[in-house]
Amino acid sequence: MASPRQIHVGGVAIGGGAPVVVQSMTTTKTHDVDATLAQIERLAAAGREIVRVAVPGLPDAEALRPIVRDAPVPVIADIHFNASLALRAMDAGVAAVRINPGNIGGEAKVVQVVERAQATGTPLRIGANSGSLPDHLRWTATADPAGALVRAALEEVEILERLGFHEFKISVKSSSVPVMMAAYRQLSEQVPYPLHLGVTEAGTLLTGAVKSSIGIGSLLAQGIGDTIRVSLSTDPVEEVRVAFDILRALGLRKFGPELIACPSCGRTNVEVHELAAVVEQRLLGYREHFEVAVMGCAVNGPGEAGDADFGIAGGRDAGHIYAHGAVLRRVPQDRLVEDLFAEIDAWIAQGMPRPQRGRRKLDLPVVLTGGAA
Ligand code: SF4
């Protein structure tokens, strides 16, 4: 998106105007090939475009060849401290290697890794985390944590540039949202390379999603960032969902359905929270991009549902199904979800035609005033 330079990780373009790419990381033991591939399959099904796997030891490096061969998305090897593992990973055909040139064993080892990357056409990810800054920048970090991250990253950039290597992307992650935002902003003004955004150790599903949405989302809204990873202490499939929610909310990617749901209030006659949860769960089975509104009543319900491709608005015993700005029909409350998805499936089977419509073409049986949504 923002970075002038472009690299390719497997067949995936990063930077140079390419769409922002979603990454995540497996939580399995990489040497357990079956478990790792099974998790990669789940993540790819959820939309992940690049996967990173940890390679802490030789058994993990030896597992890379079958993983790379059978994974449905490009695989990045995450390596620290051990240059020989990075060499093995590249020989196994990984799409990229994440290293920290500062902890890979000295300049001779960095040269070895870069020469192998050049020979195999393997891009690298470099960069610093606030928790793993080099010793000489720890004092700087107490007064200027963002500046220390940028300094650390630029020192790594200088090493690679001195070796004539430019196929890399950079991260400057922190668990502090203001720090990572400041660091990425500063770095984006100083380098042309693609930037990989993330709030590291962001937290559990809710707190981590909030922090990531603010940190990653704010930077993307400013045009900074080319790949993203949402780091959550939960099933990594949730990371992918949150990442796409961020991109969808910013209008940067259209992947999968988008749910619009009212918060409900004293006017509703249905359990909107339960209804929305049921619809959201069923929408996970779709990759097509369309909008579905779940509204609690006919006050704001029809207006919001009218903007979406499909919608339902609850009522006392019966609700309404909407499609493309018009009421389709009134159905008993207990048929609302089934009939909604029958309509969606039929529409997808027809090629998802979107008829032209005005903002207010609704033929409403009930019109009230005011509303809380
Ligand atoms: S008034 Fe708004 S918030 Fe309340 S139930 Fe209706 S649509 Fe939902």
Side-chain angles (χ1 to χ4, degrees):
M1 178 182 175
S3 306
R5 286 192 75 100
Q6 186 171 84
I7 65 171
H8 286 84
V9 173
V12 180
I14 294 174
V20 177
V21 171
V22 172
Q23 299 187 30
S24 187
M25 190 167 181
T26 52
T27 56
T28 54
K29 297 291 183 194
T30 302
H31 57 257
D32 185 340
V33 174
D34 289 344
T36 301
L37 278 171
Q39 194 173 63
I40 291 173
E41 294 276 357
R42 288 179 60 231
L43 292 163
R48 176 166 61 172
E49 293 154 315
I50 292 176
V51 60
R52 183 157 49 110
V53 300
V55 185
L58 190 55
D60 306 294
E62 287 173 343
L64 287 173
R65 202 173 289 276
I67 291 172
V68 168
R69 184 190 62 219
D70 295 339
V73 291
V75 175
I76 299 176
D78 185 281
I79 289 163
H80 290 273
F81 311 119
N82 192 328
S84 71
L85 294 179
L87 302 182
R88 282 175 181 272
M90 287 188 267
D91 291 343
V94 296
V97 175
R98 190 275 188 264
I99 60 160
N100 179 342
N103 72 16
I104 207 77
E107 183 143 357
K109 298 285 187 188
V110 176
V111 171
Q112 253 188 324
V113 171
V114 169
E115 285 179 347
R116 190 68 59 90
Q118 285 167 324
T120 55
T122 310
L124 302 177
R125 178 185 141 206
I126 61 170
N129 279 15
S130 52
S132 58
L133 283 167
D135 288 343
H136 68 279
L137 290 174
R138 290 201 185 282
W139 181 247
T140 308
T142 58
D144 180 10
L149 276 170
V150 173
R151 282 265 301 276
L154 291 177
E155 287 175 4
E156 296 179 9
V157 169
E158 280 170 26
I159 295 172
L160 298 196
E161 287 183 335
R162 228 177 22 244
L163 296 169
F165 190 75
H166 303 277
E167 298 302 302
F168 57 87
K169 56 181 179 169
I170 315 170
S171 61
V172 278
K173 294 185 180 182
S174 169
S175 54
S176 159
V177 171
V179 169
M180 63 78 80
M181 285 176 61
Y184 279 108
R185 273 200 299 263
Q186 291 173 30
L187 190 62
S188 70
E189 292 167 0
Q190 299 182 57
V191 296
Y193 302 105
L195 298 183
H196 171 69
L197 304 185
V199 179
T200 193
E201 294 113 25
T204 52
L205 180 55
L206 180 59
T207 55
V210 170
K211 279 188 184 178
S212 299
S213 302
I214 294 169
I216 295 171
S218 302
L219 289 164
L220 290 174
Q222 295 167 50
I224 297 169
D226 305 281
T227 72
I228 66 172
R229 186 214 170 172
V230 173
S231 303
L232 301 177
S233 304
T234 186
D235 183 341
V237 168
E238 300 293 348
E239 296 186 352
V240 180
R241 290 182 185 140
V242 174
F244 273 106
D245 280 344
I246 293 171
L247 297 180
R248 266 194 299 264
L250 289 167
L252 293 175
R253 297 287 301 271
K254 292 183 186 249
F255 177 89
E258 190 163 347
L259 178 71
I260 297 161
C262 85
S264 96
C265 70
R267 292 181 184 84
T268 189
N269 291 307
V270 295
E271 292 295 336
V272 179
H273 303 173
E274 287 176 18
L275 201 56
V278 169
V279 171
E280 184 172 45
Q281 190 61 36
R282 287 194 53 165
L283 287 174
L284 293 177
Y286 294 79
R287 292 183 77 119
E288 297 84 1
H289 178 71
F290 55 92
E291 290 182 355
V292 177
V294 176
M295 309 303 287
C297 75
V299 175
N300 286 317
E304 297 297 335
D307 284 342
D309 292 300
F310 288 90
I312 50 178
R316 191 177 303 279
D317 301 311
H320 291 86
I321 297 182
Y322 306 88
H324 318 297
V327 176
L328 280 184
R329 63 181 174 277
R330 193 165 185 263
V331 297
Q333 197 63 40
D334 60 359
R335 294 274 332 146
L336 210 45
V337 173
E338 283 308 319
D339 283 23
L340 167 71
F341 279 92
E343 292 293 340
I344 291 172
D345 290 341
W347 175 66
I348 291 172
Q350 290 164 20
M352 302 174 69
R354 286 188 168 90
Q356 281 211 323
R357 55 180 165 155
R359 174 78 170 77
R360 291 277 175 187
K361 285 200 310 185
L362 300 174
D363 175 21
L364 295 177
V366 183
V367 177
L368 303 174
T369 56

